Amino acid sequence: MSLLFREQRASDGPSIPSRVGWRKSSSRRGALSQSVGWACIRLRSDLISTLPVDTYTKTAAGQAEVPTPPVLVAPGGEEVNILEWLYSSQSELDTVGNSFGLITERDAAKLPRRIDLVARQDVRVQSSKGEVTFWVNNKKVDRENLWHERQFTASGVAVGMSPLYEAALALQQHSAAQEFAAAWFGGGLVPLGHLKYSEAKVPAAEAEAIKLRHKLSIENGDPMVTGKDWEYTPIAAATAQANFIAAMQFADIEMCRFYGVPGDLVDANVSGASITYANITQRNLQFLIMNLGPAITRREKALSKLMQAPRFVKLNSDALLRMDPETVAKMLGQQVRDRIAAPSEARTLLNRHPYTDEQIAEFAQLFPVQYPSQTAPADRAGYTIGAIE
């Protein structure tokens, strides 16, 4: 029995992996109630779910694009398109390490046509003597009818590990800091101030009456008048406040580490640290390679199972590397000069129509050195072949 599973007897019935944690919704709510935890999950799910889903097949000449099957357009039916489906499943993968769905429709090739995602609290997993059984809503489900993606895997374990479980200590410290701050600054742990009469001992009954009058004046926002013998000292909370802020910042950075998101992307910068990039493209490239790349690759492999080999799925990560207009113009111009792309292709990427005959004639008139003759072979972009310097 793997150490990641709770010890059980075969007669115990369905059980939950104790360290997987994907049924522990309270831990997930604890993470999502924190702005940094929510920001990390949202950022990763937003970016991966909005990457264009491209489908290809392998040929002798390389790879060729093929039509996208319905399961990769609306995997959950008319009401759940691929964007929503990928977002929901990615958030599950990043928080609890697993995403489950029921295969409710198949195509002529017996491949899944529709996959209805299932809430993690409705799924249970039993592992006994090397046999893994899945249960959905207390009903046993055959493995071939269950869609299961996982990440953060361990040897011999049928389900992915939950980052929330591993981050439990950081979550508990963060929650404890919030509760302590509410009690401290709300006056629940210590008195808010000390009202002292320095001339004589005050009887208990009289002290209660004075305290009540003092309290009422503060609650009502009225000025408080005292004689020379009364002294009021607020309880200093500077130390507690500093410790609270430090604990909050520490928990933010911890959450970023568990979710694989650089702190500066969710405004959780490390104090005193500074990271600068030449442009936003470099920043996104670093995030793509170091953080999102492995998750994207795993999803491509899983989604490719929805197609017949040698067809496969590619999530177009180039969409993440969106550049500013100046950088785009320089890149496309260089690709045209280096004969990597045709001018017509560059114009298509800029959402422009191919050159018209009038535009081609205008180029030849305005730039006769580059376009010496209109009778020479030319492509529809208006460039005479071999004339570009």
Side-chain angles (χ1 to χ4, degrees), residues 39-41 43-44 255-257 259-263 265-266 287 291:
C40 291
I41 297 168
L43 179 63
R44 289 176 59 93
M255 292 297 294
C256 289
R257 292 194 187 106
Y259 285 117
V261 175
L265 291 182
V266 291
F287 181 50
N291 302 98

Side-chain angles (χ1 to χ4, degrees), residues 195 202-216 230:
L195 191 62
V202 180
E206 188 176 345
E208 285 296 325
I210 294 170
K211 181 175 69 173
L212 179 59
R213 291 175 58 190
H214 172 68
K215 182 179 179 181
L216 289 174
W230 285 99

Side-chain angles (χ1 to χ4, degrees), residues 103-343:
I103 301 174
T104 57
E105 293 182 17
R106 293 183 180 273
D107 58 19
K110 303 300 181 182
L111 292 172
R113 181 183 179 90
R114 175 169 176 170
I115 303 173
D116 294 328
L117 296 177
V118 179
R120 69 202 162 281
Q121 62 266 22
D122 295 334
V123 182
R124 294 186 296 171
V125 181
Q126 175 186 1
S127 177
S128 178
K129 298 180 180 180
E131 182 179 351
V132 181
T133 308
F134 296 90
W135 302 71
V136 178
N137 292 321
N138 296 322
K139 295 181 180 179
K140 185 177 179 180
V141 178
D142 293 335
R143 183 64 182 88
E144 58 267 21
N145 294 326
L146 184 73
W147 174 261
H148 179 206
E149 285 187 78
R150 58 181 180 169
Q151 62 181 9
F152 313 124
T153 56
S155 300
V157 183
V159 290
M161 293 185 295
S162 169
L164 292 181
Y165 180 88
E166 305 300 332
L169 261 154
L171 290 174
Q172 291 172 2
Q173 182 181 24
H174 187 276
S175 299
Q178 287 180 319
E179 293 173 2
F180 175 78
W184 177 278
F185 297 112
L189 294 181
V190 295
L192 295 178
H194 181 201
L195 191 62
K196 176 183 178 182
Y197 183 65
S198 57
E199 294 299 319
K201 183 177 180 180
V202 180
E206 188 176 345
E208 285 296 325
I210 294 170
K211 181 175 69 173
L212 179 59
R213 291 175 58 190
H214 172 68
K215 182 179 179 181
L216 289 174
S217 67
I218 294 177
E219 290 179 351
N220 296 330
D222 297 331
M224 186 183 67
V225 181
T226 64
K228 67 176 182 178
D229 300 328
W230 285 99
E231 177 183 351
Y232 176 72
T233 305
I235 299 295
T239 302
Q241 184 176 6
N243 291 339
F244 168 69
I245 293 174
M248 293 287 286
Q249 291 177 342
F250 173 76
D252 287 349
I253 298 303
E254 284 287 286
M255 292 297 294
C256 289
R257 292 194 187 106
F258 279 110
Y259 285 117
V261 175
D264 62 293
L265 291 182
V266 291
D267 297 327
N269 296 330
V270 181
S271 178
S274 177
I275 303 177
T276 57
Y277 296 86
N279 52 52
I280 190 173
T281 304
Q282 286 191 6
R283 182 67 188 94
N284 289 346
L285 182 60
Q286 189 270 347
F287 181 50
L288 173 63
I289 294 174
M290 301 300 295
N291 302 98
L292 291 184
I296 292 174
T297 301
R298 285 192 293 267
R299 299 228 67 179
E300 289 175 341
K301 295 293 184 183
L303 295 175
S304 293
K305 297 177 182 178
L306 299 173
M307 305 178 67
Q308 285 185 319
R311 298 186 176 189
F312 61 95
V313 174
K314 292 289 291 182
L315 297 178
N316 189 355
S317 57
D318 289 344
L320 179 61
L321 304 178
R322 294 185 176 93
M323 296 171 285
D324 60 273
E326 181 181 1
T327 305
V328 171
K330 289 181 179 179
M331 179 196 71
L332 293 178
Q334 188 61 49
Q335 288 185 356
V336 171
R337 286 189 291 270
D338 292 343
R339 308 299 199 276
I340 297 175

